[in-house]
């Protein structure tokens, strides 16, 4: 059967976005079922197979066609503006989107933060078939900078079709309990300007190169010591 996305049906179901965002302590919206189940296997098969943990800048050559289609839909001006309208950002599409993808995390990820000042808004879409790990690795949107239990909404399990977007503010605290392992996520951050986009893309690519190098050295050392 043909992929519905190839027949002109969108993969990301923007019409299912909540009509209004929560405004306190910062503008945010949470939704589930934002992807039809028919796309699930194809999206996971097309997801880049990074050997390193963390979020890395999207590169079409790393991905299969369904992931590239999904990226195009999430960064489309109409979708950006629909998200921005709910978050109180006029014409979010005027800001350059930076797409990053994560296949796995290590236990150092997830510390509480607000995102950098160059980010206008952030959206996360999850692709994991299931999440048997409970709160570990589940996103928490928080009221306090040093209290991972100060949740303002129930924690968001990183399962297929779950979606969260929030406006970056001085108190847009978020994080998660430590988790190490596979956790498929696609993130879009709309940035203040092209310079910030170039800087973060360069930094992300450098980080991946260093992780590859250090990982290779670590594997070599383990083989040598065996």
């Amino acid at each position: 059967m043909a992929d519905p996305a190839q027949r002109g049906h969108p993969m990301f179901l923007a019409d299912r976005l909540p009509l209004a965002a929560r405004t306190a302590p910062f503008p945010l919206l949470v939704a589930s079922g934002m992807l039809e189940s028919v796309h699930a296997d194809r999206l996971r098969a097309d997801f880049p197979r990074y050997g390193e943990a963390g979020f890395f800048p999207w590169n079409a050559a790393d991905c299969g066609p369904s992931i590239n289609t999904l990226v195009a839909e999430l960064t489309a001006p109409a979708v950006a503006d629909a998200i921005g309208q709910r978050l109180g950002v006029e014409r979010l599409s005027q800001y350059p989107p930076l797409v990053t993808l994560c296949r796995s995390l290590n236990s150092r990820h997830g510390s509480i933060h607000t995102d950098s000042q160059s980010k206008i808004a952030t959206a996360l879409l999850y692709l994991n078939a299931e999440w048997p790990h409970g709160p570990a690795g589940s996103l928490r949107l928080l009221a306090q900078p040093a209290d991972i239990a100060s949740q303002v909404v129930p924690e968001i399990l990183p399962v297929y079709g779950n979606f969260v977007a929030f406006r970056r503010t001085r108190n847009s605290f978020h994080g998660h309990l430590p988790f190490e392992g596979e956790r498929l996520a696609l993130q879009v951050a709309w940035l203040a300007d092209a310079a910030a986009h170039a800087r973060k893309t360069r930094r992300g690519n450098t980080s991946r190169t260093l992780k590859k190098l250090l990982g290779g050295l670590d594997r070599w050392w383990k083989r040598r010591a065996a």
Side-chain angles (χ1 to χ4, degrees):
M1 185 174 67
D3 187 334
Q6 296 176 346
R7 302 199 304 265
H9 299 286
M11 301 179 76
F12 182 72
L13 304 174
D15 58 347
R16 294 186 181 179
L17 287 170
L19 294 178
R22 181 185 178 113
T23 58
F26 54 91
L28 65 93
L29 59 88
V30 177
S32 59
M34 297 302 294
L35 296 166
E36 296 283 11
S37 60
V38 69
H39 304 300
D41 290 343
R42 185 182 299 259
L43 284 167
R44 284 191 286 270
D46 285 351
F47 202 87
R49 299 192 175 278
Y50 303 130
E52 307 77 38
F55 281 85
F56 303 108
W58 166 71
N59 183 330
D62 293 336
C63 307
S66 67
I67 290 291
N68 292 330
T69 296
L70 181 58
V71 167
E73 292 184 6
L74 283 168
T75 56
V79 171
D81 288 343
I83 294 170
Q85 184 271 327
R86 290 160 172 79
L87 297 178
V89 181
E90 184 176 359
R91 204 164 64 83
L92 185 59
S93 61
Q94 69 183 292
Y95 300 104
L98 174 67
V99 178
T100 54
L101 297 99
C102 172
R103 188 171 193 92
S104 64
L105 295 177
N106 60 42
S107 58
R108 295 188 298 274
H109 293 110
S111 58
I112 300 173
H113 61 290
T114 62
D115 283 351
S116 65
Q117 292 186 24
S118 61
K119 288 188 179 181
I120 305 300
T122 299
L124 287 151
L125 179 64
Y126 297 105
L127 300 176
N128 304 283
E130 56 183 0
W131 196 254
H133 313 290
S138 295
L139 184 66
R140 296 186 177 190
L141 303 168
L142 305 168
Q144 301 295 330
D147 184 2
I148 195 66
S150 63
Q151 299 164 242
V152 299
V153 294
E155 63 192 4
I156 298 102
L157 295 177
V159 296
Y160 183 80
N162 276 1
F163 176 82
V164 58
F166 58 90
R167 184 173 181 174
R168 193 273 169 191
T169 68
R170 61 180 179 81
N171 65 329
S172 54
F173 302 113
H174 58 285
H176 58 74
L177 295 176
F179 172 76
E180 189 155 335
E182 188 168 272
R183 180 179 178 272
L184 274 60
L186 191 159
Q187 177 179 266
V188 184
W190 289 270
L191 304 179
D193 51 42
H197 187 281
R199 184 174 63 253
K200 286 184 175 292
T201 300
R202 184 168 58 249
R203 186 181 302 159
N205 287 329
T206 299
S207 172
R208 187 182 178 199
T209 299
L210 287 173
K211 287 179 180 180
K212 280 184 176 180
L213 176 61
L214 292 173
L217 287 172
D218 183 58
R219 289 189 292 272
W220 174 83
W221 182 258
K222 287 179 179 177
R223 288 196 301 269
R224 186 173 183 272

